[in-house]
Amino acid sequence: MSDVSPPSRGRPRDPRSHEAIIRATAELMVESGYAATSIGAVAARAGVGKDTIYRRWPGKPELVFEAVFTTTDEVPPPDTGTLLGDLTALLQGLVDEFRAPAAAAALPGLLADFAADPDLRARIRGDFLAPSKERLLVVFERAVLRGEIAGETPVDLVLDTLAGAVFFHIGLAGEHPRRETAALLAAVVAKGIEVR
């Protein structure tokens, strides 16, 4: 029996085409808006075939969500030494992400698609929000070790609270966040879950 694994089928994914697709999607969001952006337009702008896009994303909502709302996922979890500092850094990343022109253009259309399709909501939560949850778990594990919070803190609920506050403040209320918005929201959440 050989230890050599069989060769993979098909061509390997080209990271340059992935980046071109993500960049084209974000650009088209700003230029044309969600409704007017199509997979065909993204493919033409990125210089790839539509099949290349559909092999990676089931449809436009998933592609747009990844292109616009996962920009902070590759950044290592903050490690400021305190829960408040870490939450402030995480929230500042969310505020910056939601304030970006592509996010403002994409949000109304994405919300309509999410409302109409429970399977889409489940895919987004499972596929795209998992990295954010993992980053938050690291922050919470450190806070538990420092004695700032209890081990049974409901991570999912806190993540929803953080993202929901930013989303409501910027996406629905249309507020332009002040410089201290992230720190104020972080203080509210940290105070609510700290060990007393």
Side-chain angles (χ1 to χ4, degrees):
M1 198 144 119
S2 171
D3 288 318
V4 178
S5 49
S8 62
R9 295 181 184 198
R11 294 188 335 206
R13 288 186 179 171
D14 181 354
R16 290 171 303 175
S17 66
H18 182 87
E19 286 305 312
I21 292 165
I22 294 295
R23 187 173 47 255
T25 304
E27 289 170 358
L28 285 166
M29 282 298 102
V30 175
E31 294 170 19
S32 307
Y34 185 83
T37 297
S38 67
I39 296 293
V42 171
R45 167 89 44 118
V48 300
K50 288 195 290 188
D51 287 348
T52 300
I53 294 174
Y54 282 118
R55 276 194 297 272
R56 298 174 189 186
W57 295 275
K60 181 171 84 169
E62 293 89 349
L63 171 58
V64 170
F65 191 89
E66 182 175 344
V68 174
F69 290 108
T70 61
T71 58
T72 60
D73 289 348
E74 300 302 316
V75 178
D79 189 4
T80 65
T82 67
L83 176 63
L84 178 58
D86 291 350
L87 289 179
T88 300
L90 284 170
L91 278 165
Q92 189 59 58
L94 275 176
V95 166
D96 293 344
E97 199 168 66
F98 272 82
R99 284 182 53 204
L107 202 52
L110 278 173
L111 285 176
D113 282 352
F114 292 166
D117 187 349
D119 292 336
L120 172 63
R121 282 195 307 271
R123 282 195 307 276
I124 293 294
R125 190 163 190 83
D127 295 345
F128 295 110
L129 295 182
S132 296
K133 182 179 174 185
E134 291 302 315
R135 295 175 75 228
L136 194 58
L137 279 171
V138 170
V139 166
F140 279 180
E141 287 166 2
R142 290 182 191 143
V144 168
L145 292 174
R146 290 190 301 258
E148 293 177 287
I149 62 172
E152 63 274 2
T153 300
V155 176
D156 286 334
L157 184 58
V158 175
L159 176 58
D160 290 347
T161 301
L162 295 171
V166 173
F167 167 72
F168 180 82
H169 192 69
I170 299 171
L172 291 182
E175 297 291 328
H176 186 76
R178 297 174 308 189
R179 169 163 252 168
E180 61 274 359
T181 298
L184 289 171
L185 288 172
V188 168
V189 172
K191 190 73 174 164
I193 61 175
E194 71 183 3
V195 172
R196 290 179 173 77

